[in-house]
Amino acid sequence: DLIIDVVASKYQINSIKTPNFNTGTDRVHWSAHQIQAEKIINLQGDEPLISPDALNKFAKHIDNCTSTKPLIINGLSVLHQKKAFDPNNVKAVINNFDEVVYLSRKPLRNSQDSSNDFIYLKQLGLYGFSIDALNQFSSCEQTRLEKAESIEMLRWIEHRNTLSSLILDTPSISVDTPEDLAEVEHFLALNK
């Protein structure tokens, strides 16, 4: 905690320390009420490569949403087949309306491309929320599938809510292991 406070102070970053919660979305819910925000973007710290262009596209998409229902949008990216079997990469299946119908740590195919390769979509640590959706999410009990998969957005789906998605063309290596960190460092060295 002290390191976070020092870094935030050094770079003049506004920060909020939350109490303990079961999920990051529950922490975002609590934080949103501290700053009284109506729309919130959560970019998780383990996603260092999501590009500024992708973030801007995501923010514009949220601003342009006119849904009257509580809104949660999940950023997705195409996942290379060899990474589809890594349980640290959460895979998403979407329908024809760009709604996420299921998320899993197991490989889930969305379709095949013209070369008969399977297409996998990765859930990014990038979410957009309306305050109404955050209120509703946090009032729902954790669900069986959420606990089994350890994926909090399954709570939203299991309570019969729509999880919208936006597929972004951005590099994404979630840093969950020392090998992931080495891969990110290699990517950054090649793309200076």
Side-chain angles (χ1 to χ4, degrees):
D1 290 344
L2 180 59
I3 292 173
I4 292 171
D5 290 341
V6 169
V7 171
S9 176
K10 178 179 179 180
Y11 293 100
Q12 300 177 349
I13 299 169
N14 293 331
S15 62
I16 297 172
K17 184 174 185 319
T18 68
N20 289 331
F21 290 102
N22 288 325
T23 71
T25 301
D26 293 307
R27 284 192 294 277
V28 170
H29 171 252
W30 185 88
S31 300
H33 284 280
Q34 306 310 303
I35 60 172
Q36 300 178 349
E38 290 299 315
K39 291 183 180 175
I40 298 92
I41 293 177
N42 176 15
L43 172 60
Q44 296 180 347
D46 64 353
E47 290 280 4
L49 299 182
I50 294 178
S51 70
D53 287 343
L55 287 174
N56 286 331
K57 181 178 180 181
F58 191 74
K60 285 179 187 170
H61 183 73
I62 292 167
D63 280 343
N64 293 333
C65 283
T66 58
S67 174
T68 57
K69 296 191 277 186
L71 176 69
I72 298 182
I73 301 172
N74 199 162
L76 304 176
S77 67
V78 175
L79 181 66
H80 191 277
Q81 282 194 23
K82 71 178 184 176
K83 297 268 191 174
F85 293 87
D86 179 349
N88 290 315
N89 290 314
V90 174
K91 278 63 73 176
V93 174
I94 61 173
N95 63 20
N96 291 336
F97 304 100
D98 294 327
E99 298 166 342
V100 177
V101 294
Y102 196 70
L103 298 157
S104 180
R105 295 183 179 281
K106 303 231 182 305
L108 297 172
R109 299 179 295 209
N110 273 278
S111 62
Q112 289 179 291
D113 66 18
S114 57
S115 69
N116 289 326
D117 286 336
F118 295 122
I119 296 174
Y120 297 92
L121 293 174
K122 175 186 175 184
Q123 178 194 45
L124 298 174
L126 177 63
Y127 308 98
F129 306 97
S130 67
I131 192 65
D132 293 339
L134 281 170
N135 291 337
Q136 187 172 331
F137 178 93
S138 289
S139 70
C140 294
E141 294 289 322
Q142 283 190 292
T143 59
R144 178 179 55 88
L145 293 174
E146 173 190 7
K147 291 177 183 177
E149 291 275 11
S150 190
I151 301 171
E152 65 209 67
M153 283 302 125
L154 286 173
R155 181 189 319 178
W156 189 247
I157 294 170
E158 280 191 272
H159 283 282
R160 301 178 78 187
N161 295 294
T162 300
L163 179 58
S164 297
S165 72
L166 179 63
I167 299 173
L168 298 165
D169 182 17
T170 186
S172 171
I173 302 169
S174 301
V175 180
D176 299 301
T177 67
E179 293 79 19
D180 295 336
L181 180 58
E183 189 176 353
V184 166
E185 289 171 340
H186 180 73
F187 178 91
L188 292 173
L190 291 176
N191 294 285
K192 282 186 178 180

